[in-house]
Amino acid sequence: MPVAEQVARALGGGHGLLFLDVTLTGTVREATGDRLLADCEGRTVRLAVAHDDPALPYRDNLRLLAAARGSRLRVVARLAPGPLPRALLLAAEHPARAGERVDLGLDRLQHADLPTTTATAAPAPAPPADEAPLHLLRRRVHQAVSGGRRVLGFPDSGAGDGGRLRRVGLATAGELLGELRSAAADRSRDAFGRLLPADPGRFANAWLAAAVYTDEVERALCAAAWGADAEVGAELVATSR
């Protein structure tokens, strides 16, 4: 199944696993670590570790595979929703022994497992532009769940994030973030200067609006990044049940 259809199925409520034929092209550094770059049907995909537990060999295996630039592999990955084509690498065809599979969370590759001769790779395509900073809103939504409204009510809690979102064209995200912070800090006083109870309804509505918006925009950006149609994916899932 073409990768765009697999992504559409995952976004429509499918299992989220992607079965990809890729050519390894290099690595790119992100804030949370290195990513393995691979060409997949002409699209640059970022392959990340599926789990950060140092006791598991995911990260070491990814670093080793980065040395096999030019290798063509079949891999199994889990879709990582976001504005760039990104997936969590779970398993791969052995880089040197055809027909053998490697569970990257259990099996530990060695340098001897790399092919002695690597296919000549085309120059690595330029990494995609930085993704839209939707995480600025998503982070505040998550903070409200873990720390409550008081965390968002601090004066320095993302004070400049709304402006940054507007500058990159995410005006609605900026407005929702502003309302979320305003609702968190909204406390009136009575005639004696005493704080009145907070309005839970306003804050709940602001949080729900921000959470729903973030989910829907992230889903749309992910579909666009992979060239997928999320609505078609939902139909595929419905007809397969």
Side-chain angles (χ1 to χ4, degrees), residues 210-228:
V212 171
Y213 171 89
T214 303
D215 286 346
E216 289 301 313
V217 171
E218 191 172 66
R219 182 170 174 268
L221 290 174
C222 182
W226 289 90

Side-chain angles (χ1 to χ4, degrees), residues 162-178 213:
R164 183 179 171 189
L165 288 166
R166 293 184 188 92
R167 285 193 295 273
V168 298
L170 294 174
T172 300
E175 294 299 324
L176 289 171
L177 178 57
Y213 171 89

Side-chain angles (χ1 to χ4, degrees), residues 150-164:
R150 288 179 298 178
V151 175
L152 302 181
F154 296 141
D156 60 345
S157 179
D161 290 348
R164 183 179 171 189

Side-chain angles (χ1 to χ4, degrees), residues 48-139:
V49 295
H51 203 288
D52 283 322
D53 189 335
L56 300 175
Y58 282 117
R59 193 167 296 281
D60 291 339
N61 284 335
L62 186 140
R63 291 195 188 103
L64 202 62
L65 287 174
R69 179 174 172 176
S71 295
R72 291 183 57 82
L73 300 175
R74 288 188 171 183
V75 303
V76 180
R78 185 174 298 281
L79 178 66
L84 294 178
R86 186 183 286 109
L88 308 180
L89 194 56
L90 299 171
E93 186 178 18
H94 194 284
R97 297 194 288 271
E100 188 172 327
R101 303 292 180 262
V102 179
D103 184 329
L104 298 173
L106 294 176
D107 305 321
R108 191 175 293 275
L109 291 170
Q110 306 295 330
H111 282 284
D113 292 314
L114 297 181
T116 54
T117 58
T118 303
T120 302
D130 290 340
E131 56 192 291
L134 194 61
H135 65 276
L136 297 176
L137 179 58
R138 187 193 314 112
R139 179 171 58 197

Side-chain angles (χ1 to χ4, degrees), residues 2 7 14 30 32 34 38 67 92 112 134 173 186 206 209:
V7 171
E30 292 185 354
T32 54
D34 289 343
L134 194 61
D186 184 17

